[in-house]
Amino acid sequence: MTKPIEKHLPENPAQDMVAEVDTGARNPKGAISKRVLFYVPLAWTLFQLWYASPLPFMLNFFVLNSTEARAIHLAFAIFLAYTAFPTFKSSPKSFIPFQDWVMALVASFCSAYIFLFYSALAQRPGDPTTLDLVVAVIGLILLLEATRRALGPPLMVVAAIFLIYTFFGQYMPEVIAHKGASLTKGMTHYWLTTEGVFGVAVGVSTGMVFMFVLFGSLLESAGAGNYFIRTAFAGLGHMRGGPAKAAVVSSAMTGLVSGSSIANVVTTGTFTIPLMKKVGFTPEKAGAVEVASSTNGQLTPPVMGAAAFLMVEYVGISYIDVIKHAFLPAIISYIALVYIVHLEACKMGLKGLPKRKAKTLAQSLLTFVSTVLLLIVIGAATYYGLGWIKVATGGAAIWIITVMLFAAYLVLLYLACRVPELEMTTEINELPPLGETAQAGLYFLLPIVVLMWCLTVERLSPSLSAFWATVLMIVIVLTQRPLKGIMRKAAGDDYSFVQGWKDLISGLVSGAKNMIGIGVATAAAGIVVGTVTLTGIGLVMTEFVEFISGGNLVLILLFTAGISLLLGMGLPTTANYIVVSTLMAPVIVSLGAQNGLIVPLIAVHLFVFYFGILADDTPPVGLAAFAAAGISGGDPIRTGIQGFAYDIRTAILPFIFIFNTELLMIGIGSPLHFIVVVSAAVVAMLVFAAATQGYWLTRNRIWETVALLAVAFTLFRPGFFWDQIYPELNVLPAHDLEKLVGQMQPGSQLLMEVKGEKMNGTEFTMMVMLPVGDEPTAAEKMKAIGFETREEDGRQFIDNVVFASAAEKARLDFDQEILYVLTPNDRPPKQLMFIPALLLLGLIWYMQRGRIKKAVKVAAGA
């Protein structure tokens, strides 16, 4: 197999940007410096493989708990941040200055301090020595500097502001003031416990993110990136605006390989942007399509951006659930982008690239149906066959399955050797045949299949699943070249084991270098999280945002989206997600409940995640747009603006799934319900794309654009109009509360409005949502919820609230009056609103079709 794409591409500004942003711009000439920047990342990768594997427990050697592993992980990241990234752009890049060596060693010692002195620190919790405090202070300062080097000033400034707030809270404005933390308390919280720097974010980076980034790096090193791009071109390049459609699909597939939108732009854009320009796209539009495609690569399951792994910890659900909730929005977002490209091509009258052989419609349909049926048969045979083997052979199943997996690898490799090797050039003048191109790299899908099998069937942890997929990837990288040499009866460096070994080492080193920014970012973002837990700023934020928004949920969502986009101009997606979700997620959930809307926590976190990703192409600082402009030769600001215009369909989705959680696969009751939701969502997004592009079958008239937007809104959120006809909730008197709770199903939500009085004497009302358990009686359900009531003059009051109960968390308190209880209304399904929406869509189709026929007749008469 050929070498990774990057080794064959000419130097360009876009690649320089990737080096500067993702892996460090320093390329030292000295032998010692070169070896350090080679062997330290390699050692980091080997450590992470050891930590993720079952070997420590099998051998009972070097077994680490999560806190110790986090310390070592950050020590590697911060050491490389100082040695791989220069102090300033003008600083030397050809060697590592003495002061950088000193800071790298001191910073890594401070980071590893918890690991080195773990037992001693455990024996004096909350009672740090002078040395502990000195190490913590120096460590925090050096972490801020490492963050500035690796990620730029914005995240460093944000973290520093939160530190200032912690220690000087008594001098802050009254609305956010607090008594301030002492140096001992603050340093202990931030550096010597797992509440701050070494908290959940670094834990996720250590336990999950690194293995997935390494997996992607090895896929790229093996040549999978080139395979995905070529296959997308072979399948879509002949269509209208084909290269642009191929860019969308290849960027989605390359999202498996790269967690960085900038690297994604450079990897796929080097191929796609020149071809888009070749068929008629302007430099700005060609770059914008690539930007919109690449920024969305992090949305695509099963391997999403690092923030997706943080959701596992922050939301408290499994990674499989994150994938399930993120799947439909990601798919319809990409379908819409392909359709937008199609509309652009139609408006400009563009064609695709010529095919070598033209197929009839019947041949194309037969090929498509055969492929689908083959995949279904293979999938069923794999699932049920492996399931039977596990039942029949018990403990020996793992060895049998391993042999079968290796046999499948040999068969697919043999099939790959029956067709020519994939080219590595960036010039594509004629579309490659789809069959041969797809056949040349089918074995690259085996590690992805293993990853999904371990996640979904074996229910292994994400880290262990990625480990086994990476083990298979290592085997492939090492053996594909020599085995191909044997099967092709060829010799030379391209078919040697030595070259495979070099590819493996290159992939291992690249994986660690790609993690420098993520490791430092998660540590710095831990300062923000630590500040929230130490000072209680989260509750202050809730009251502040509620005040400025007037309790309006839409305004809060707009405010959150704006913060994400603003911070995302300088912060990487992962840090942006941590900061905004920590501050805003509880606010949105709380105020959603007060507005009578159940907003699942995962919906809020995905909302923040989406807008953090969109910031990568938001002018004027969208780095992905600058990378694309470096390839296309277009204006970076105009490229970013056009890319964001294409991404409007992604920006609208988070607002929709907050109010219609069915898009996140929440509340799907049956297969038919699932089909209806998916179909409506896809049609809605296509209609929305046609409206925003001002073109469907032909150019829209103004009223048609407005009507298309109305159709899209109705299909996305049919309940909005249905609620006006049939109220969603019944209002019932408060004295029926206990009876109603006794009739409610386990897992349902008790919704009621209460009135109370603040400390300053002003009255307030709020909506409260409380989960109902599966207790047998009404009284026991009320007790489990956590409050009791009393009646006075026919009015119901809260009489007792259980400490740490759901009722207390919902801010219920003594003497608050329960005004009324709300229960779901028995009404016809809201999907009936689809009927008038589709009729209106049909009318627009008929009108535009008529205009096209009339134009054809006029043209024929002329």
Side-chain angles (χ1 to χ4, degrees), residues 475-555:
V475 172
I476 290 175
V477 174
L478 282 174
T479 62
Q480 63 171 342
R481 289 180 182 274
L483 288 176
K484 280 187 174 182
I486 294 171
M487 294 177 182
R488 290 186 183 276
K489 298 180 180 178
D493 290 342
D494 283 346
Y495 299 104
S496 68
F497 179 82
V498 173
Q499 189 59 51
W501 176 258
K502 290 180 180 177
D503 289 342
L504 172 62
I505 298 301
S506 173
L508 296 177
V509 172
S510 296
K513 287 186 175 181
N514 290 336
M515 275 298 300
I516 299 172
I518 296 175
V520 173
T522 51
I527 294 174
V528 176
V529 178
T531 300
V532 172
T533 57
L534 182 61
T535 65
I537 184 64
L539 294 175
V540 175
M541 279 295 297
T542 301
E543 294 182 1
F544 176 70
V545 172
E546 183 178 359
F547 171 74
I548 64 173
S549 66
N552 187 294
L553 185 59
V554 174
L555 288 179

Side-chain angles (χ1 to χ4, degrees), residues 569-654:
M569 291 181 185
L571 271 60
T573 303
T574 305
N576 188 6
Y577 165 76
I578 295 171
V579 173
V580 180
S581 65
T582 300
L583 294 175
M584 298 303 300
V587 180
I588 296 174
V589 172
S590 173
L591 296 183
Q594 291 182 34
N595 283 270
L597 181 68
I598 302 175
V599 183
L601 194 57
I602 182 63
V604 181
H605 281 259
L606 282 172
F607 182 95
V608 174
F609 180 45
Y610 265 60
F611 280 100
I613 288 171
L614 286 175
D616 277 349
D617 64 6
T618 305
V621 197
L623 294 180
F626 279 83
I631 299 172
S632 70
D635 179 79
I637 300 298
R638 289 169 60 191
T639 299
I641 293 171
Q642 184 66 62
F644 190 73
Y646 289 151
D647 264 340
I648 287 176
R649 92 262 174 243
T650 303
I652 201 70
L653 270 173

Side-chain angles (χ1 to χ4, degrees), residues 795-807:
R795 298 155 67 190
Q796 294 288 322
F797 292 88
I798 305 292
D799 194 42
N800 184 34
V801 178
V802 179
F803 176 73
S805 65

Side-chain angles (χ1 to χ4, degrees), residues 7 19 35 40 63 282 307 430 452 639 662 727 779 793 810 833:
K7 297 180 183 178
R35 287 173 181 170
V40 172
V63 179
T282 65
E430 187 180 32
M452 291 307 300
T639 299
E662 289 180 345
D793 302 325
M833 282 301 303

Side-chain angles (χ1 to χ4, degrees), residues 27-37 93-96 101:
N27 186 21
K29 306 297 183 186
I32 294 177
S33 299
K34 269 185 173 294
R35 287 173 181 170
V36 166
L37 289 184
K93 296 180 175 63
S94 59
F95 68 94
I96 303 174
W101 284 113

Side-chain angles (χ1 to χ4, degrees), residues 749-768:
Q749 297 283 336
L750 170 63
L751 179 62
M752 58 187 189
E753 182 164 5
V754 300
K755 182 173 71 172
E757 191 174 284
K758 295 182 179 180
M759 295 293 290
N760 59 10
T762 59
E763 288 190 345
F764 68 93
T765 60
M766 66 177 182
M767 298 294 295
V768 177

Side-chain angles (χ1 to χ4, degrees), residues 114-187:
I114 292 182
F115 166 71
L116 296 173
F117 301 98
Y118 186 80
S119 298
L121 289 169
Q123 291 173 6
R124 53 172 190 270
D127 184 25
T129 63
T130 302
L131 177 62
D132 295 342
L133 295 178
V134 170
V135 166
V137 171
I138 295 174
L140 271 178
I141 294 171
L142 292 177
L143 173 60
L144 292 176
E145 167 59 12
T147 303
R148 185 196 64 79
R149 291 189 182 206
L151 304 164
L155 180 56
M156 181 206 72
V157 171
V158 170
I161 289 172
F162 275 83
L163 283 174
I164 292 170
Y165 175 75
T166 297
F167 294 110
F168 299 97
Q170 64 269 36
Y171 304 111
M172 296 293 161
E174 185 177 351
V175 67
I176 61 171
H178 67 98
K179 65 180 182 179
S182 66
L183 181 67
T184 299
K185 184 177 181 181
M187 290 303 105

